[in-house]
Amino acid sequence: MEPQVFRIAIDGPAGAGKSTIARRVAKGLGFVYVDTGAMYRAMALLCLRKGIRPEDAQAVSQAAGAAQITISYIAGEQRVLLDGEDVSGQIRTEEVGNMASAISAYPAVRAHLLGLQRSLAARSSVIMDGRDIGTCVLPDAEAKVFLTASPQVRAMRRFKELKEKGEMCNLQEIEQDIIERDQRDMNRAASPLKQAEDAVLVDGSHMGIDQVVAAVIDVAVSRGLKVDSGVWK
Ligand code: DC
């Protein structure tokens, strides 16, 4: 028999705080957090390593089709493996993020990751974040949230993050990058970034992390999740 699972889909633009929120919600509810962006990033890393240009649809699709992307969990944290190598640390750069945004427009790349994403959600209760979770990957998810924030707020958060890591950065450039990434993610033909009709919009521009976490849990509860002292029953 299929296990009884509850699925929370959380979509939204780059830098809206999806992963921070999803990780916290997962911990609070005892759910598995699935970061689908990391899978696209692993594909992007592969293309960068092979020197494939993002415009080369055939080469990208071929490389993606042959790549083995797998997910494992170490101490509850998602690790992404590319052909058996743990690349979780190497995918967190702006270069990889931009490449991921470019190559995720190709249907072959998306098709290759869809099965993996759905199989993870079939096994256990998940909160899955991405761009097309509520619209395409898990259209029947019990709860859907579209988390956004203004480009200025997202750019400022990213700027502070990079500064803390001691990386050189420029606020205007980061904001421009975010706007361009939004445009690419929203305007592609294959599974564009879009709020699902039954998703609840949460604008976190002027909300703290705890408030957004509470808002997401409220959505899940309003869609039938039973919680007892923060733990899913
Ligand atoms: O969330 P992120 O920044 O790690 O995602 C990187 C890119 O991957 C994003 O710009 C678009 C793509 N992506 C996607 O197309 N669909 C998803 N479900 C997740 C990410």
Side-chain angles (χ1 to χ4, degrees):
M1 217 172 68
E2 289 283 308
Q4 198 201 348
V5 296
F6 194 99
R7 297 153 303 168
I8 305 174
I10 176 160
D11 291 302
K18 299 184 298 297
S19 59
T20 305
I21 301 302
R23 199 172 276 119
R24 294 247 189 140
V25 172
K27 208 164 174 204
L29 297 177
F31 280 26
V32 171
Y33 166 46
V34 182
D35 170 4
T36 62
M39 303 175 192
Y40 288 97
R41 285 172 179 264
M43 287 279 195
L45 181 67
L46 174 71
C47 291
L48 287 166
R49 282 179 175 175
K50 286 182 176 279
I52 297 172
R53 287 177 304 107
E55 308 80 49
D56 191 342
Q58 205 188 346
V60 170
S61 303
Q62 245 171 27
Q68 275 268 2
I69 309 282
T70 43
I71 296 295
S72 72
Y73 287 87
I74 299 178
E77 278 291 309
Q78 174 182 295
R79 312 298 298 180
V80 185
L81 287 88
L82 169 63
D83 295 323
E85 176 193 352
D86 186 342
V87 293
S88 312
Q90 294 168 59
I91 57 175
R92 299 287 156 205
T93 66
E94 297 302 291
E95 188 190 20
V96 172
N98 286 328
M99 185 68 161
S101 171
I103 64 158
S104 61
Y106 295 121
V109 174
R110 308 201 69 80
H112 193 68
L113 294 175
L114 188 62
L116 172 62
Q117 293 164 358
R118 286 190 175 152
S119 70
L120 288 166
R123 277 187 240 148
S124 40
S125 291
V126 293
I127 176 159
M128 185 178 286
D129 84 355
R131 303 294 187 284
D132 62 335
I133 311 307
T135 52
C136 174
V137 180
L138 304 175
D140 301 328
E142 283 70 25
K144 299 180 186 177
V145 171
F146 193 84
L147 179 63
T148 189
S150 70
Q152 292 74 26
V153 166
R154 289 185 279 138
M156 183 52 88
R157 287 182 188 157
R158 188 80 192 115
F159 178 73
K160 285 187 184 156
E161 238 173 62
L162 290 170
K163 276 259 166 160
E164 271 166 26
K165 282 200 226 159
E167 289 180 31
M168 291 279 290
C169 53
N170 170 299
L171 184 59
Q172 273 74 39
E173 271 173 29
I174 294 173
E175 189 176 330
Q176 193 51 39
D177 212 50
I178 278 181
I179 291 169
E180 280 169 23
R181 182 112 79 94
D182 287 355
Q183 289 307 318
R184 266 200 310 268
D185 293 350
M186 288 188 301
N187 294 318
R188 66 183 180 220
S191 307
L193 167 65
K194 195 168 88 181
Q195 182 180 341
E197 274 175 19
D198 51 350
V200 174
L201 175 69
V202 176
D203 184 336
S205 301
H206 305 292
M207 290 166 81
I209 293 174
D210 290 346
Q211 271 179 298
V212 181
V213 168
V216 173
I217 293 178
D218 278 353
V219 172
V221 169
S222 76
R223 301 283 164 91
L225 180 73
K226 304 257 184 301
V227 281
D228 180 19
S229 321
V231 178
W232 182 52
K233 280 207 298 188

